[in-house]
Amino acid sequence: MADTDLVFHLPPSTNADLVFGDDGPDSNEIAVLLQPRLGRLQLRAIAAVSLLPIDVAARGQLRPLALRAAARYDNAVLRGPGTGVVAGWQRAVPETAATSSRFAASSPRSRRVAGVWASAEKCLSGVTVAQGALAHSRRATVAGWQRSQSRASRTATAWAALTALRHRRATLWQMAGRLATATAAAWQERTPIRQRRATRWQEGARLSRGVAAPFSPALLRPKSMRARWQNAWHPRPGVRPPRPPEPPFDPCYIPDPHLVFDARWDGSPNLLFVCERHDSTPPGPIVVPVLRTYIVVNDIQLVRVADGFVLEAPSFSVTFDSDSWTCAFQATLPASAMDDVMPAPDPVLLEARINGQAFRVLAESVTRTRRFGERRLQVSGRGWASELGAPQAPAGSWANTELRTAQQLAEEVLPTGWSLDWQLDDWLVPAGAWSFQGVPIDAVKRIAEAAGGYVRSARAARTLSVLHRYPVAPWEWGDETPDIILPADPVSVEGIEVVDKALYNAIYVSGESAGVLAHIKRSGTAGDLVAPMVTDALNTDPIVARQRGRAVLSDVGRQTRVSLELPILPEVGVIDLGAMIDFDDGTVTRRGLVRANSVSAAYPRVRQVVEVETHA
């Protein structure tokens, strides 16, 4: 701080404090506070030194002012290595307005003011105080407790870790050693007595004379007995006589747990159901209620169809999808059942019953595995319709020499005993437009693909169904009534997979030698996004071209595959392919078609995983 005289000619107009200097923690200057009160000027100086704080008091007299200064040093404060100044006043904010006072600015004085106390000078030697800032000590400080040092030798304590004893310790009880000689005991195993022992009874001698009795041995009679009761069995799959469909809707069977028979049983294993017309109004959707608890009593069996023999199957599964014309089957059986399911020479026909719904399958492959304490069989096969494919069905050649419909061509391919459930829009095929060489099932699939359809076999009957892959285009699903309304409550697992496909709104479908060329486009669009052209020899009519184009234009854009795992509920049973489902997951309702289903049964747990195709 410079030694500058302050001269004020006028008294202050307000009681404003004047603070000179910086009171920051790193300041080594002297802060001067002028506080005019009652015509006097009080000056307070606070000096801060970086290492040792010192208060200096100065007293003097100025003309025309009286100066009184006081300094106080408090050594009862522990100060660390760093310095800091704590004051009751803080740094004032600069103001732009001038402050008027009764004292004018004093003129500089060339001479110094002598006072009782002069400005203190810095001392090069240290100042010893009672309590001061402690300097860092280069050596360790000895305290009552300190960190112990590691010792190379072990420390003996009242309790120490015992070292392992290399010699045996004698105890009251120890492991007995084997005796080389036999040990004599109070009881021991006696050696067999070789000599005979005499008893009061001995083996009797046989008598050769006969005994006469009033009754002679009975003779077997082949006479049979009839009873009013017999052993019951589960009803076999029924047989329905084929009949043409009657538009618009004709229900022939309404599920009813009570079966009324009006004739005696004639010994046939088949049950014949006739059509009963109950109502001409189509039924509404199946609504699965929202319940707190869903209780399902599962009943699973694996039966050999030839004789009704029930096999012990701990687990089995049935899987089917729209890209496969029949189901796939797998089962786990005990090793003792190998002769019951071994093909000899044809595959054994089995029937898997799941909560009253039957799946007939052929055991095509049998594998036995053996582990320690476990022997079992792995049986796999396909649905009953596998007898229409390789290697069971022989290959053949088919061609139309005269005008036929597509349905007639498919029926001529099927062997005797098989029926066809045709649900496509039929069309005419001119003579010579159709020819195929292969197994029967491939021929039916070829006809269905011409119209954008697919083939599905019945679960427990010799019936093939030819279905539309998209009975209604996805952009028209909002106007349809779903088959099943399913809430999220009975669904235990939900998986969502997003699939992006090319977006088309038009396509050209062409025939070959006797075909037609059709331009199919989505209604309401410009038809400017054209899909690759489809050429098919069976495209001989605008009816089939329209169906093929709808199938191609429906399988475009963003799709979502939703996987739902749920039990076999009594309301829906095993959900079939092509069913339209409304699934409400709590936040959004998704509508789509069932494309696959996988049923797994491991008693008492039975689950089905349904895959639903939805469109945005």
Side-chain angles (χ1 to χ4, degrees), residues 485-504:
I485 299 178
L486 182 65
D489 299 80
V491 178
S492 58
V493 177
E494 175 188 355
I496 298 178
E497 178 185 3
V498 178
V499 179
D500 289 326
K501 296 186 177 181
L503 186 61
Y504 299 117

Side-chain angles (χ1 to χ4, degrees), residues 65-208:
L65 298 178
L67 175 64
R68 177 178 297 175
R72 185 179 60 183
Y73 171 74
D74 189 0
N75 62 352
V77 178
L78 179 61
R79 297 174 176 83
T83 61
V85 179
V86 179
W89 297 271
Q90 60 184 1
R91 185 171 184 176
V93 179
E95 292 188 11
T96 57
T99 303
S100 59
S101 62
R102 291 185 301 173
F103 305 93
S106 57
S107 57
R109 299 285 297 274
S110 58
R111 61 183 179 88
R112 296 181 178 270
V113 179
V116 180
W117 293 273
S119 299
E121 296 180 355
K122 293 183 180 180
C123 297
L124 299 178
S125 61
V127 181
T128 303
V129 295
Q131 289 88 11
L134 297 177
H136 291 283
S137 177
R138 297 185 180 274
R139 61 184 181 88
T141 304
V142 180
W145 294 271
Q146 63 182 358
R147 186 179 184 86
S148 60
Q149 298 179 352
S150 301
R151 302 187 61 183
S153 61
R154 298 183 180 273
T155 304
T157 58
W159 293 272
L162 297 178
T163 59
L165 297 179
R166 298 185 179 275
H167 62 277
R168 298 183 179 273
R169 300 180 60 186
T171 59
L172 294 179
W173 295 273
Q174 61 182 358
M175 181 68 70
R178 295 181 179 270
L179 297 178
T181 60
T183 304
W187 295 273
Q188 62 181 359
E189 184 179 0
R190 297 185 179 274
T191 58
I193 301 177
R194 297 183 180 277
Q195 71 272 12
R196 297 182 180 273
R197 298 182 61 186
T199 59
R200 297 178 56 187
W201 296 273
Q202 60 183 1
E203 184 177 357
R206 294 184 178 181
L207 297 178
S208 60

